[in-house]
Amino acid sequence: MKVINSISDLKKLIENVKESDKTIGFVPTMGALHKGHLSLIEKAAQENDIVVVSIYINPTQFNNHEDFIKYPRIFEKDIALLENTQHCDILFMPDDKEMYPEPDNRVFNLGYLEDIMEGKYRPGHFQGVVKIVTKFFDIILPHKAYFGKKDFQQLAIIRYITKQLKYPIEIVACEIVREPHGLAMSSRNLRLSDKDFYNAKIIYETLSKIPNWIKQFDIPTIKENVIRNINTVEPFKVEYIELVDSYDLQIVKNINNHKSITACIAVYCNDVRLIDNYEIIL
Ligand code: AMP
């Protein structure tokens, strides 16, 4: 595994790979790697000759400075883990000067997708995500790029912008990897106490009840149930729960008009913000 810090070194390596007609799979991450990340990397290794992983905590996608400061940084451990998997050929770990030598003032039209859920509660977040992902795409231009369904709305936005900007890149969606008790794996889980980590299973437990609730209740009642269920476990507080169409993310008003619905949720555990989602095929 080659560890690269500069864009120019990465470009040289990528050029060599492309000259030899090999395919490239790209997995962008912010580090503090867990089995969720590894599942993306494994899939990339199965489907491509060369796997490029990036670890970069992108400042422009944090709308909350404290969240940025407290984001887990365990780079040595990450490098060792990636060496161990033997699935990563090139690890790109740039610093801020490399990725943002000057402010990136581009504004992307993300339309409706930016107005709801994560877009609404984390203003500017997706602009930052798209800034960094397009920078990576421009440098690497992989054949395929891998994103987790854990970040359901991010995946939709990446698909949208890839199409809009006509990148010849296949976006591959990967299933959510969960802890044995159901909590979606996340780097931010490292910030939970043992007790909160255990109790956070309430999020997935509650989402799993929605298919049953859908048969009995209207949508406002389902949302109330979700909030009540989770908020009774201290110190968890639901920020939002939304039921959206799985394909176009339109807010669901009448269940009968949809083939698949995804329940998306953000929950605070003190100052740690957790997101999850659950697909319901109808
Ligand atoms: P992050 O490091 O949190 O920016 O995540 C990097 C990539 O890994 C994103 O595409 C995430 O959606 C994906 N990812 C994070 N957690 C999980 C998980 N539990 N299961 C599947 N994919 C995940």
Side-chain angles (χ1 to χ4, degrees):
M1 181 175 86
K2 290 199 168 68
V3 183
I4 305 290
N5 305 112
S6 80
I7 294 176
S8 60
D9 285 350
L10 180 63
K11 277 187 169 164
K12 276 183 218 147
L13 268 181
I14 297 288
E15 245 171 59
N16 288 343
V17 172
K18 291 201 171 149
E19 271 169 18
S20 61
D21 265 350
K22 290 187 171 147
T23 58
I24 299 178
F26 172 51
V27 184
T29 83
M30 298 206 297
L33 302 177
H34 50 67
K35 285 182 186 155
H37 296 115
L38 295 185
S39 74
L40 272 58
I41 295 166
E42 267 163 37
K43 195 161 189 182
Q46 281 164 13
E47 298 182 352
N48 302 274
D49 299 319
I50 296 289
V51 174
V52 180
V53 175
S54 63
I55 295 183
Y56 177 61
I57 304 178
N58 172 35
T60 63
Q61 72 184 72
F62 285 83
N63 58 316
N64 176 333
H65 187 62
E66 203 186 327
D67 186 31
F68 175 65
I69 297 296
K70 291 187 174 171
Y71 200 85
R73 289 165 169 83
I74 46 171
F75 302 123
E76 296 302 317
K77 225 172 147 184
D78 287 341
I79 295 172
L81 190 73
L82 285 177
E83 285 277 19
N84 242 327
T85 66
Q86 302 193 342
H87 289 314
C88 174
D89 301 289
I90 301 171
L91 170 59
F92 182 46
M93 294 183 75
D95 63 14
D96 292 341
K97 275 202 210 108
E98 195 67 13
M99 293 319 294
Y100 296 101
E102 53 208 49
D104 180 347
N105 296 320
R106 290 176 297 165
V107 179
F108 298 91
N109 179 5
L110 305 174
Y112 163 77
L113 289 176
E114 204 184 5
D115 296 339
I116 53 165
M117 303 192 294
E118 292 299 283
K120 179 169 155 190
Y121 287 92
R122 299 186 70 189
H125 166 64
F126 286 126
Q127 290 293 325
V129 168
V130 172
K131 274 177 192 167
I132 197 65
V133 171
T134 52
K135 277 175 188 277
F136 287 146
F137 280 5
D138 289 338
I139 300 165
I140 303 167
L141 206 64
H143 298 81
K144 297 186 181 190
Y146 295 78
F147 292 87
K149 289 189 186 174
K150 154 89 177 3
D151 297 276
F152 173 76
Q153 193 174 357
Q154 168 175 283
L155 176 62
I157 288 203
I158 298 294
R159 283 193 195 289
Y160 177 82
I161 205 73
T162 301
K163 205 168 164 190
Q164 273 233 330
L165 300 180
K166 299 191 167 45
Y167 282 107
I169 299 172
E170 184 185 332
I171 304 301
V172 182
C174 304
E175 293 305 321
I176 303 176
V177 178
R178 298 183 176 279
E179 297 289 348
H181 70 348
L183 176 66
M185 288 194 180
S186 164
S187 305
R188 288 187 178 86
N189 293 353
L190 290 175
R191 295 186 49 211
L192 300 174
S193 68
D194 288 350
K195 182 172 167 233
D196 290 341
F197 175 81
Y198 176 75
N199 286 335
K201 69 184 171 57
I202 188 66
I203 300 170
Y204 182 65
E205 265 174 25
T206 304
L207 293 180
S208 316
K209 290 187 174 145
I210 296 179
N212 249 329
W213 286 341
I214 273 183
K215 294 177 199 147
Q216 309 166 50
F217 306 119
D218 62 7
I219 290 179
T221 311
I222 295 169
K223 288 166 76 169
E224 276 166 30
N225 285 356
V226 169
I227 294 168
R228 195 176 329 107
N229 234 38
I230 294 176
N231 286 7
T232 47
V233 181
E234 279 285 319
F236 295 89
K237 286 264 167 309
V238 174
E239 184 177 39
Y240 70 80
I241 166 77
E242 203 64 83
L243 273 67
V244 299
D245 185 281
S246 302
Y247 302 104
D248 60 14
L249 279 68
Q250 291 295 325
I251 306 283
V252 174
K253 300 212 167 75
N254 179 350
I255 286 154
N256 300 322
N257 297 342
H258 305 269
K259 290 195 176 108
S260 168
I261 288 175
T262 300
C264 300
I265 195 164
V267 179
Y268 272 102
C269 174
N270 298 318
D271 65 339
V272 183
R273 189 172 182 278
L274 304 170
I275 59 168
D276 201 350
N277 64 82
Y278 190 97
E279 186 180 2
I280 303 133
I281 314 258
L282 299 162

